[in-house]
Amino acid sequence: MDYQNTLLYLYNSAPMFQQVGSSAYKEGLENTLALDEHFGHPHRNFHSIHVGGTNGKGSCSHTLAAILQEAGYRVGLYTSPHLVDFRERIRVNGQSIPKEYVVRFVEKERNFFEPLHPSFFELTTAMAFRYFANEHVDVAVIEVGLGGRLDCTNIIHPDLCIITNISFDHTQFLGNTLEKIASEKAGIIKSGIPVVIGETTPETKPVFTKKAREVDAPIFFAEENQKDEYPGLECELKGLYQTKNTHTLLTAIAQLQQAGYNLSEQAVRSGFAHVCELTGLMGRWQKLQDAPTLICDTGHNVGGITYITEQLKQQSYRKLHFIIGMVNDKDIHGVLALLPKDAEYYFTKASVKRALPENELSRLASEAGLQGSCYPDVPSAVQAAQEKSLPEDFIFVGGSSFIVADLLANRDTLDLH
């Protein structure tokens, strides 16, 4: 098989949550443990850092990887979902896993894993851990896929755990209260391993404190660590929410230094300043065009959209053009209620099965007082916004990671300047 056919095989034989949603979700670690045993427990061959939470875990994972790279470590990075190419999920020192490795892995191992019927994420996690071991990484930054307690990344024995924050997302699996969601996310807290909590609420802080006490894990709250240890720190990631992420990361860095990691001030500053270049991160308040300004962001739930709407209020423009699509398992009413009423909306859908039809999104948006037109796909919505915009206007593209993915996948054919 070539690379494209290998991906089709993976997507079809092990359905991807990214594409189909809840039917791809598998609870429990049986398959993960069987795969781990088969591959010889590869995660035991490298140090690791485990990053969970609702929002910000991708940005934190990439920034931490960038800092570690700048400190001279050979760094694995495992994140999800991907935006343009599957290989974005598995990187070593910023370089995506080679296509040939993906093809060989599937060809060589399919006789073992086919009878297991693993999920796509179970299989790609096993692939990532095997690749990192093959590549002799010093340390891997591992982002939790969904939840924490039963996530298949939760077999690692990391040097540090990080939980960025808790917001309502994936409530059909994790629970419909912040306490329940926090309890699932707190499942990555392990005996004796320090944990950094980025952001808390009155509902979530006691959950983390209790879990840490039960397993005797030192716990550190970034909100209580507001010291300015790196004055004038330049951050390449410009989203408002990155302020919270920065406090989380600086608290984590202090713990890693305590654990013996050699992270100089220069490495920290350089990692923050060049995270996208060093790791390939995309879609975090990313500017793709000037005059009119075009920004995309992967924020897709109430927590993420809250920061985006605050950031939009700080922008200067004549008119705001808002291109939005969502998937059908999110709190759509909650998100729409936050959006600015004075924008012109371009309702569209991403090219995934979970995408909410644009007409349905338009109907719900109208009930929330938002007005606009419907477009069948992201490129046509972007083109329409560009045609209607003056140079002093502002175009925002978001509502879902998959909307941003479709934008980035088509950026060469769109006239982004």
Side-chain angles (χ1 to χ4, degrees):
M1 285 191 289
D2 62 12
Y3 176 63
Q4 287 305 325
N5 282 321
T6 300
L7 288 189
L8 281 173
Y9 168 81
L10 281 175
Y11 296 158
N12 291 327
S13 63
M16 179 169 47
F17 185 90
Q18 184 167 340
Q19 288 283 345
V20 302
S22 57
S23 62
Y25 179 66
K26 289 199 173 184
E27 192 170 278
L29 295 174
E30 293 83 2
N31 281 350
T32 299
L33 293 170
L35 288 162
D36 187 50
E37 175 82 22
H38 174 71
F39 289 114
H41 312 291
H43 61 91
R44 297 178 186 173
N45 294 335
F46 48 83
H47 290 266
S48 58
I49 299 161
H50 209 186
V51 185
T54 305
N55 295 308
K57 61 183 184 287
S59 297
C60 282
S61 295
H62 282 80
T63 306
L64 199 49
I67 292 164
L68 290 161
Q69 282 172 229
E70 289 296 82
Y73 292 96
R74 185 163 176 78
V75 184
L77 177 61
Y78 181 51
T79 58
S80 60
H82 63 270
L83 290 177
V84 180
D85 181 9
F86 164 81
R87 297 183 305 131
E88 295 165 34
R89 294 167 177 256
I90 305 170
R91 297 178 183 270
V92 172
N93 278 10
Q95 298 299 308
S96 297
I97 184 172
K99 291 179 180 179
E100 298 76 33
Y101 190 97
V102 177
V103 173
R104 277 203 319 273
F105 178 90
V106 171
E107 284 179 345
K108 183 165 180 273
E109 304 297 343
R110 59 189 290 182
N111 287 340
F112 172 77
F113 65 69
E114 279 179 354
L116 280 181
H117 299 294
S119 72
F120 177 85
F121 194 71
E122 287 169 338
L123 201 51
T124 52
T125 301
M127 184 191 300
F129 291 176
R130 181 68 262 161
Y131 180 63
F132 294 156
N134 288 158
E135 286 292 304
H136 304 290
V137 302
D138 300 310
V139 56
V141 181
I142 308 292
E143 181 191 349
V144 173
L146 193 157
R149 181 175 64 93
L150 295 173
D151 188 74
C152 51
T153 63
N154 204 26
I155 60 170
I156 62 175
H157 191 79
D159 294 332
L160 178 70
C161 298
I162 300 170
I163 300 174
T164 55
N165 58 39
I166 302 298
S167 180
F168 288 105
D169 206 1
H170 300 299
T171 52
Q172 70 271 45
F173 309 118
L174 307 181
N176 55 7
T177 68
L178 290 177
E179 292 96 330
K180 287 179 182 173
I181 298 170
S183 182
E184 288 297 317
K185 305 276 186 188
I188 69 169
I189 300 175
K190 297 177 183 68
S191 177
I193 296 171
V195 58
V196 169
I197 310 294
E199 195 178 349
T200 61
T201 66
E203 299 97 329
T204 62
K205 190 170 186 178
V207 176
F208 295 133
T209 303
K210 178 171 179 282
K211 175 66 175 181
R213 192 182 300 123
E214 284 172 1
V215 299
D216 196 25
I219 187 166
F220 303 89
F221 294 97
E223 292 160 319
E224 298 167 8
N225 173 45
Q226 303 288 339
K227 300 188 297 292
D228 191 9
E229 301 147 290
Y230 299 87
L233 186 67
E234 283 287 321
C235 301
E236 184 177 14
L237 302 181
K238 299 301 184 188
L240 257 186
Y241 49 86
Q242 299 298 346
T243 305
K244 300 273 189 187
N245 289 341
T246 299
H247 289 310
T248 304
L249 285 162
L250 293 180
T251 307
I253 287 160
Q255 289 309 310
L256 290 171
Q257 289 167 331
Q258 288 276 323
Y261 282 74
N262 183 14
L263 303 176
S264 68
E265 179 176 346
Q266 175 57 34
V268 172
R269 289 185 180 278
S270 187
F272 270 102
H274 305 291
V275 56
C276 297
E277 176 191 339
L278 288 165
T279 67
L281 179 62
M282 298 181 288
R284 273 51 170 200
W285 199 260
Q286 183 177 357
K287 183 190 272 193
L288 297 175
Q289 176 180 287
D290 290 299
T293 299
L294 189 150
I295 297 280
C296 64
D297 194 284
T298 54
H300 57 269
N301 51 37
V302 168
I305 296 293
T306 298
Y307 279 110
I308 287 168
T309 54
E310 285 302 310
Q311 184 119 25
L312 287 170
K313 289 175 188 172
Q314 298 184 11
Q315 310 304 312
S316 298
Y317 50 77
R318 183 193 71 93
K319 185 176 182 181
L320 174 60
H321 303 262
F322 204 117
I323 297 166
I324 184 170
M326 296 189 71
V327 290
N328 54 22
D329 53 4
K330 299 298 177 187
D331 178 8
I332 293 160
H333 293 283
V335 166
L336 293 173
L338 293 168
L339 299 181
K341 301 283 193 288
D342 57 352
E344 179 169 350
Y345 285 87
Y346 301 72
F347 303 108
T348 187
K349 67 176 180 297
S351 54
V352 295
K353 291 177 184 174
R354 293 163 61 202
L356 186 72
E358 66 273 24
N359 295 331
E360 177 68 7
L361 181 59
S362 175
R363 183 183 68 77
L364 295 171
S366 179
E367 292 173 5
L370 309 177
Q371 301 302 318
S373 305
C374 292
Y375 299 88
D377 52 50
V378 173
S380 60
V382 172
Q383 285 171 332
Q386 288 175 315
E387 288 165 8
K388 291 185 181 182
S389 295
L390 296 178
E392 58 270 28
D393 286 0
F394 192 104
I395 302 171
F396 179 83
V397 184
S400 164
S401 297
F402 311 117
I403 293 293
V404 174
D406 284 0
L407 170 67
L408 295 173
N410 289 280
R411 64 188 298 180
D412 292 340
T413 56
L414 292 164
D415 184 23
L416 301 178
H417 47 270

